[in-house]
Amino acid sequence: MSMGETLNSALRSAMESAGLSPRKLALKVGVSGKTVERWVNDPELIPHPRNREDACKALGVDEEMIWPKAVKERIKTGGDREIVHSYPYRSACPSTVWGELTEQATEELFFSGYTNYFLWTQVPDFSNLLRRKVREGCRVRFLLGDPNGEVTRQREVIEDVALTVSTRIRVSLENLARLEEVEARYSSPEDATNHVSLSVFRFDDEALVTPHLARLVGHDSPLLHLRSMGAGGMFSRFSDHAEELWGRGVPIQSEKTRA
């Protein structure tokens, strides 16, 4: 692929050879037509493995032909195998990644950011998507920081932005109050510092992880997209961290009742 190329030309050629438009390929894969258009228009975008497999079957081509980077990633060694992608800023991760990971989860959705506020602006129709996932049998959990906690107050001084940490948490609480069967807790006061410094968002066996840097707000901190390759890897370690905070967390039904 040349330096100046802005399309996945191999995918486009395979679609033309198979006589499939983005809409027709989308129907065979089970995604939207706009999702397929993004695959074509962004040569760096690598779809979920299940979608890649279905697309290749529909097109009659090998995965290496249209997504060679995905094939190379499978032969990584050590901990690198679990790193699907890295972004210097959380805001650089396409909103489609958040939406597709949420959509594809079947068992576990665990959002353990300190505020989780951005999810409702990042993922279209996020509340209804969560309602559907619950109906389909997926467990959905949110771990939030306490809007009245000392660590929250300190973080607001550090960030010094108009949309304060406590305000962002309360926006999440208002949205969660409208969602039944979604579990929600505050991290304990003892864990608040660890919680505010590291956000872990789990989607079955994949996760998006943001270590928060110094005075930066979440969207300006880096992000790692991880996929589990077995016990003891990076995915497991970050997932275990979030589970430990959850285990000591404080249920917030009373906040949901008041909202």
Side-chain angles (χ1 to χ4, degrees):
M1 186 176 297
S2 66
M3 291 286 290
E5 189 166 0
T6 58
L7 293 174
N8 186 331
S9 55
L11 173 58
R12 183 174 60 179
S13 296
M15 290 169 60
E16 290 174 352
S17 297
L20 293 177
S21 66
R23 185 181 65 82
K24 290 181 179 179
L25 179 59
L27 289 173
K28 291 180 176 292
V29 177
V31 298
S32 69
K34 288 190 176 298
T35 295
V36 174
E37 289 174 1
R38 285 192 291 269
W39 295 349
V40 174
N41 293 329
D42 185 354
E44 296 299 317
L45 181 60
I46 299 177
H48 189 277
R50 196 161 47 222
N51 291 339
R52 296 200 305 268
E53 181 179 356
D54 290 343
C56 289
K57 286 181 180 178
L59 296 170
V61 298
D62 292 332
E63 184 178 342
E64 187 174 9
M65 173 184 169
I66 51 181
W67 289 295
K69 186 177 178 181
V71 176
K72 290 179 182 178
E73 286 180 347
R74 288 205 293 267
I75 59 173
K76 290 180 179 178
T77 60
D80 286 351
R81 293 184 305 157
E82 294 201 328
I83 302 176
V84 177
H85 208 296
S86 63
Y87 302 89
Y89 302 91
R90 192 188 73 196
S91 56
C93 178
S95 60
T96 52
V97 172
W98 295 89
E100 288 177 1
L101 288 175
T102 303
E103 179 69 53
Q104 291 158 3
T106 59
E107 298 180 358
E108 183 77 41
L109 286 169
F110 185 14
F111 303 99
S112 63
Y114 197 77
T115 73
N116 292 301
Y117 153 83
F118 73 96
L119 291 164
W120 277 271
T121 61
Q122 189 92 353
V123 182
D125 204 19
F126 186 56
S127 288
N128 281 331
L129 175 55
L130 294 182
R131 289 189 183 96
R132 179 160 53 80
K133 301 312 293 186
V134 169
R135 289 197 303 269
E136 293 171 354
C138 187
R139 186 186 187 190
V140 181
R141 292 181 290 166
F142 281 80
L143 184 67
L144 300 165
D146 185 345
N148 300 311
E150 178 61 20
V151 169
T152 297
R153 187 195 64 79
Q154 293 173 1
R155 188 67 192 178
E156 289 181 339
V157 173
I158 292 171
E159 291 186 2
D160 190 25
V161 295
L163 191 61
T164 64
V165 177
S166 58
T167 298
R168 301 199 302 268
I169 293 173
R170 289 192 171 94
V171 170
S172 291
L173 290 172
E174 290 177 3
N175 283 291
L176 289 173
R178 304 183 184 100
L179 295 172
E180 297 180 0
E181 305 301 327
V182 170
E183 303 171 60
R185 296 181 184 180
Y186 291 138
S187 53
S188 69
E190 295 76 18
D191 289 328
T193 299
N194 288 330
H195 186 192
V196 79
S197 62
L198 178 65
S199 294
V200 180
F201 307 92
R202 180 182 170 189
F203 314 81
D204 286 348
D205 61 352
E206 298 191 45
L208 298 173
V209 177
T210 297
H212 295 270
L213 302 181
R215 298 178 179 274
L216 299 181
V217 294
H219 62 261
D220 282 335
S221 292
L223 180 142
L224 292 174
H225 181 177
L226 305 176
R227 181 177 300 127
S228 176
M229 300 293 287
M234 292 179 67
F235 172 89
S236 293
R237 299 198 67 190
F238 283 118
S239 181
D240 289 348
H241 166 84
E243 290 293 346
E244 185 175 344
L245 299 188
W246 176 263
R248 293 194 292 266
V250 180
I252 55 177
Q253 294 102 327
S254 59
E255 286 284 349
K256 292 175 74 174
T257 301
R258 287 200 299 268

PDB file of all heavy atoms in Angstrom, residues 194-210:
ATOM      1  N   ASN A 194      -7.003   4.851  42.662  1.00  0.00           N
ATOM      2  CA  ASN A 194      -6.666   3.858  41.637  1.00  0.00           C
ATOM      3  C   ASN A 194      -7.673   3.886  40.491  1.00  0.00           C
ATOM      4  O   ASN A 194      -7.316   3.682  39.328  1.00  0.00           O
ATOM      5  CB  ASN A 194      -6.645   2.462  42.254  1.00  0.00           C
ATOM      6  CG  ASN A 194      -5.454   2.241  43.158  1.00  0.00           C
ATOM      7  OD1 ASN A 194      -4.398   2.827  42.955  1.00  0.00           O
ATOM      8  ND2 ASN A 194      -5.615   1.400  44.176  1.00  0.00           N
ATOM      9  N   HIS A 195      -8.925   4.151  40.831  1.00  0.00           N
ATOM     10  CA  HIS A 195      -9.974   4.169  39.815  1.00  0.00           C
ATOM     11  C   HIS A 195      -9.811   5.363  38.880  1.00  0.00           C
ATOM     12  O   HIS A 195      -9.874   5.220  37.650  1.00  0.00           O
ATOM     13  CB  HIS A 195     -11.341   4.204  40.504  1.00  0.00           C
ATOM     14  CG  HIS A 195     -12.496   4.071  39.569  1.00  0.00           C
ATOM     15  ND1 HIS A 195     -13.793   4.316  39.957  1.00  0.00           N
ATOM     16  CD2 HIS A 195     -12.570   3.713  38.250  1.00  0.00           C
ATOM     17  CE1 HIS A 195     -14.600   4.111  38.940  1.00  0.00           C
ATOM     18  NE2 HIS A 195     -13.891   3.754  37.888  1.00  0.00           N
ATOM     19  N   VAL A 196      -9.589   6.541  39.434  1.00  0.00           N
ATOM     20  CA  VAL A 196      -9.527   7.747  38.609  1.00  0.00           C
ATOM     21  C   VAL A 196      -8.309   7.744  37.691  1.00  0.00           C
ATOM     22  O   VAL A 196      -8.293   8.436  36.669  1.00  0.00           O
ATOM     23  CB  VAL A 196      -9.544   9.014  39.493  1.00  0.00           C
ATOM     24  CG1 VAL A 196      -8.165   9.278  40.106  1.00  0.00           C
ATOM     25  CG2 VAL A 196     -10.025  10.235  38.710  1.00  0.00           C
ATOM     26  N   SER A 197      -7.298   6.964  38.026  1.00  0.00           N
ATOM     27  CA  SER A 197      -6.062   6.970  37.239  1.00  0.00           C
ATOM     28  C   SER A 197      -6.041   5.916  36.129  1.00  0.00           C
ATOM     29  O   SER A 197      -5.124   5.900  35.306  1.00  0.00           O
ATOM     30  CB  SER A 197      -4.850   6.740  38.153  1.00  0.00           C
ATOM     31  OG  SER A 197      -4.926   5.477  38.787  1.00  0.00           O
ATOM     32  N   LEU A 198      -7.050   5.039  36.098  1.00  0.00           N
ATOM     33  CA  LEU A 198      -7.051   3.983  35.086  1.00  0.00           C
ATOM     34  C   LEU A 198      -8.481   3.572  34.758  1.00  0.00           C
ATOM     35  O   LEU A 198      -9.228   3.144  35.636  1.00  0.00           O
ATOM     36  CB  LEU A 198      -6.277   2.758  35.586  1.00  0.00           C
ATOM     37  CG  LEU A 198      -6.228   1.545  34.642  1.00  0.00           C
ATOM     38  CD1 LEU A 198      -5.451   1.885  33.377  1.00  0.00           C
ATOM     39  CD2 LEU A 198      -5.603   0.349  35.358  1.00  0.00           C
ATOM     40  N   SER A 199      -8.870   3.700  33.494  1.00  0.00           N
ATOM     41  CA  SER A 199     -10.205   3.295  33.042  1.00  0.00           C
ATOM     42  C   SER A 199     -10.094   2.000  32.241  1.00  0.00           C
ATOM     43  O   SER A 199      -9.253   1.884  31.352  1.00  0.00           O
ATOM     44  CB  SER A 199     -10.831   4.380  32.166  1.00  0.00           C
ATOM     45  OG  SER A 199     -11.090   5.546  32.908  1.00  0.00           O
ATOM     46  N   VAL A 200     -10.958   1.039  32.573  1.00  0.00           N
ATOM     47  CA  VAL A 200     -10.984  -0.236  31.864  1.00  0.00           C
ATOM     48  C   VAL A 200     -12.409  -0.478  31.373  1.00  0.00           C
ATOM     49  O   VAL A 200     -13.353  -0.478  32.162  1.00  0.00           O
ATOM     50  CB  VAL A 200     -10.552  -1.403  32.776  1.00  0.00           C
ATOM     51  CG1 VAL A 200     -10.599  -2.718  32.009  1.00  0.00           C
ATOM     52  CG2 VAL A 200      -9.147  -1.165  33.334  1.00  0.00           C
ATOM     53  N   PHE A 201     -12.555  -0.676  30.076  1.00  0.00           N
ATOM     54  CA  PHE A 201     -13.859  -0.924  29.469  1.00  0.00           C
ATOM     55  C   PHE A 201     -13.803  -2.303  28.813  1.00  0.00           C
ATOM     56  O   PHE A 201     -13.051  -2.504  27.861  1.00  0.00           O
ATOM     57  CB  PHE A 201     -14.192   0.148  28.432  1.00  0.00           C
ATOM     58  CG  PHE A 201     -14.077   1.549  28.959  1.00  0.00           C
ATOM     59  CD1 PHE A 201     -12.884   2.256  28.838  1.00  0.00           C
ATOM     60  CD2 PHE A 201     -15.144   2.167  29.599  1.00  0.00           C
ATOM     61  CE1 PHE A 201     -12.766   3.548  29.321  1.00  0.00           C
ATOM     62  CE2 PHE A 201     -15.033   3.464  30.092  1.00  0.00           C
ATOM     63  CZ  PHE A 201     -13.843   4.154  29.953  1.00  0.00           C
ATOM     64  N   ARG A 202     -14.588  -3.239  29.343  1.00  0.00           N
ATOM     65  CA  ARG A 202     -14.503  -4.620  28.879  1.00  0.00           C
ATOM     66  C   ARG A 202     -15.707  -4.994  28.032  1.00  0.00           C
ATOM     67  O   ARG A 202     -16.848  -4.677  28.368  1.00  0.00           O
ATOM     68  CB  ARG A 202     -14.403  -5.571  30.075  1.00  0.00           C
ATOM     69  CG  ARG A 202     -14.319  -7.038  29.656  1.00  0.00           C
ATOM     70  CD  ARG A 202     -14.271  -7.962  30.845  1.00  0.00           C
ATOM     71  NE  ARG A 202     -14.436  -9.337  30.417  1.00  0.00           N
ATOM     72  CZ  ARG A 202     -14.601 -10.369  31.249  1.00  0.00           C
ATOM     73  NH1 ARG A 202     -14.626 -10.159  32.554  1.00  0.00           N
ATOM     74  NH2 ARG A 202     -14.763 -11.587  30.770  1.00  0.00           N
ATOM     75  N   PHE A 203     -15.429  -5.715  26.921  1.00  0.00           N
ATOM     76  CA  PHE A 203     -16.444  -6.202  26.000  1.00  0.00           C
ATOM     77  C   PHE A 203     -16.140  -7.683  25.754  1.00  0.00           C
ATOM     78  O   PHE A 203     -15.361  -8.015  24.863  1.00  0.00           O
ATOM     79  CB  PHE A 203     -16.408  -5.431  24.682  1.00  0.00           C
ATOM     80  CG  PHE A 203     -16.304  -3.924  24.840  1.00  0.00           C
ATOM     81  CD1 PHE A 203     -15.073  -3.319  25.075  1.00  0.00           C
ATOM     82  CD2 PHE A 203     -17.430  -3.114  24.762  1.00  0.00           C
ATOM     83  CE1 PHE A 203     -14.967  -1.938  25.219  1.00  0.00           C
ATOM     84  CE2 PHE A 203     -17.343  -1.740  24.899  1.00  0.00           C
ATOM     85  CZ  PHE A 203     -16.106  -1.152  25.137  1.00  0.00           C
ATOM     86  N   ASP A 204     -16.706  -8.568  26.563  1.00  0.00           N
ATOM     87  CA  ASP A 204     -16.373  -9.996  26.507  1.00  0.00           C
ATOM     88  C   ASP A 204     -14.858 -10.177  26.631  1.00  0.00           C
ATOM     89  O   ASP A 204     -14.294  -9.853  27.664  1.00  0.00           O
ATOM     90  CB  ASP A 204     -16.914 -10.643  25.232  1.00  0.00           C
ATOM     91  CG  ASP A 204     -18.430 -10.844  25.272  1.00  0.00           C
ATOM     92  OD1 ASP A 204     -19.019 -10.692  26.364  1.00  0.00           O
ATOM     93  OD2 ASP A 204     -19.033 -11.143  24.219  1.00  0.00           O
ATOM     94  N   ASP A 205     -14.205 -10.656  25.568  1.00  0.00           N
ATOM     95  CA  ASP A 205     -12.766 -10.927  25.660  1.00  0.00           C
ATOM     96  C   ASP A 205     -11.911  -9.809  25.048  1.00  0.00           C
ATOM     97  O   ASP A 205     -10.740 -10.021  24.736  1.00  0.00           O
ATOM     98  CB  ASP A 205     -12.427 -12.259  24.987  1.00  0.00           C
ATOM     99  CG  ASP A 205     -12.780 -12.287  23.502  1.00  0.00           C
ATOM    100  OD1 ASP A 205     -13.423 -11.329  23.027  1.00  0.00           O
ATOM    101  OD2 ASP A 205     -12.410 -13.261  22.813  1.00  0.00           O
ATOM    102  N   GLU A 206     -12.499  -8.630  24.878  1.00  0.00           N
ATOM    103  CA  GLU A 206     -11.739  -7.473  24.419  1.00  0.00           C
ATOM    104  C   GLU A 206     -11.907  -6.334  25.421  1.00  0.00           C
ATOM    105  O   GLU A 206     -12.872  -6.302  26.193  1.00  0.00           O
ATOM    106  CB  GLU A 206     -12.189  -7.030  23.027  1.00  0.00           C
ATOM    107  CG  GLU A 206     -11.967  -8.101  21.970  1.00  0.00           C
ATOM    108  CD  GLU A 206     -12.159  -7.596  20.543  1.00  0.00           C
ATOM    109  OE1 GLU A 206     -11.647  -6.502  20.229  1.00  0.00           O
ATOM    110  OE2 GLU A 206     -12.821  -8.305  19.757  1.00  0.00           O
ATOM    111  N   ALA A 207     -10.964  -5.403  25.409  1.00  0.00           N
ATOM    112  CA  ALA A 207     -11.030  -4.275  26.348  1.00  0.00           C
ATOM    113  C   ALA A 207     -10.382  -3.041  25.743  1.00  0.00           C
ATOM    114  O   ALA A 207      -9.456  -3.141  24.923  1.00  0.00           O
ATOM    115  CB  ALA A 207     -10.334  -4.628  27.666  1.00  0.00           C
ATOM    116  N   LEU A 208     -10.882  -1.887  26.135  1.00  0.00           N
ATOM    117  CA  LEU A 208     -10.259  -0.604  25.830  1.00  0.00           C
ATOM    118  C   LEU A 208      -9.796  -0.037  27.170  1.00  0.00           C
ATOM    119  O   LEU A 208     -10.587   0.086  28.104  1.00  0.00           O
ATOM    120  CB  LEU A 208     -11.254   0.331  25.140  1.00  0.00           C
ATOM    121  CG  LEU A 208     -11.780  -0.156  23.793  1.00  0.00           C
ATOM    122  CD1 LEU A 208     -12.883   0.769  23.273  1.00  0.00           C
ATOM    123  CD2 LEU A 208     -10.651  -0.254  22.765  1.00  0.00           C
ATOM    124  N   VAL A 209      -8.513   0.276  27.258  1.00  0.00           N
ATOM    125  CA  VAL A 209      -7.902   0.672  28.534  1.00  0.00           C
ATOM    126  C   VAL A 209      -7.249   2.042  28.387  1.00  0.00           C
ATOM    127  O   VAL A 209      -6.480   2.276  27.442  1.00  0.00           O
ATOM    128  CB  VAL A 209      -6.845  -0.364  28.973  1.00  0.00           C
ATOM    129  CG1 VAL A 209      -6.149   0.086  30.255  1.00  0.00           C
ATOM    130  CG2 VAL A 209      -7.485  -1.736  29.146  1.00  0.00           C
ATOM    131  N   THR A 210      -7.564   2.941  29.314  1.00  0.00           N
ATOM    132  CA  THR A 210      -6.987   4.287  29.294  1.00  0.00           C
ATOM    133  C   THR A 210      -6.285   4.593  30.609  1.00  0.00           C
ATOM    134  O   THR A 210      -6.943   4.735  31.645  1.00  0.00           O
ATOM    135  CB  THR A 210      -8.075   5.356  29.059  1.00  0.00           C
ATOM    136  OG1 THR A 210      -8.683   5.168  27.786  1.00  0.00           O
ATOM    137  CG2 THR A 210      -7.470   6.762  29.100  1.00  0.00           C
TER     138      THR A 210
END
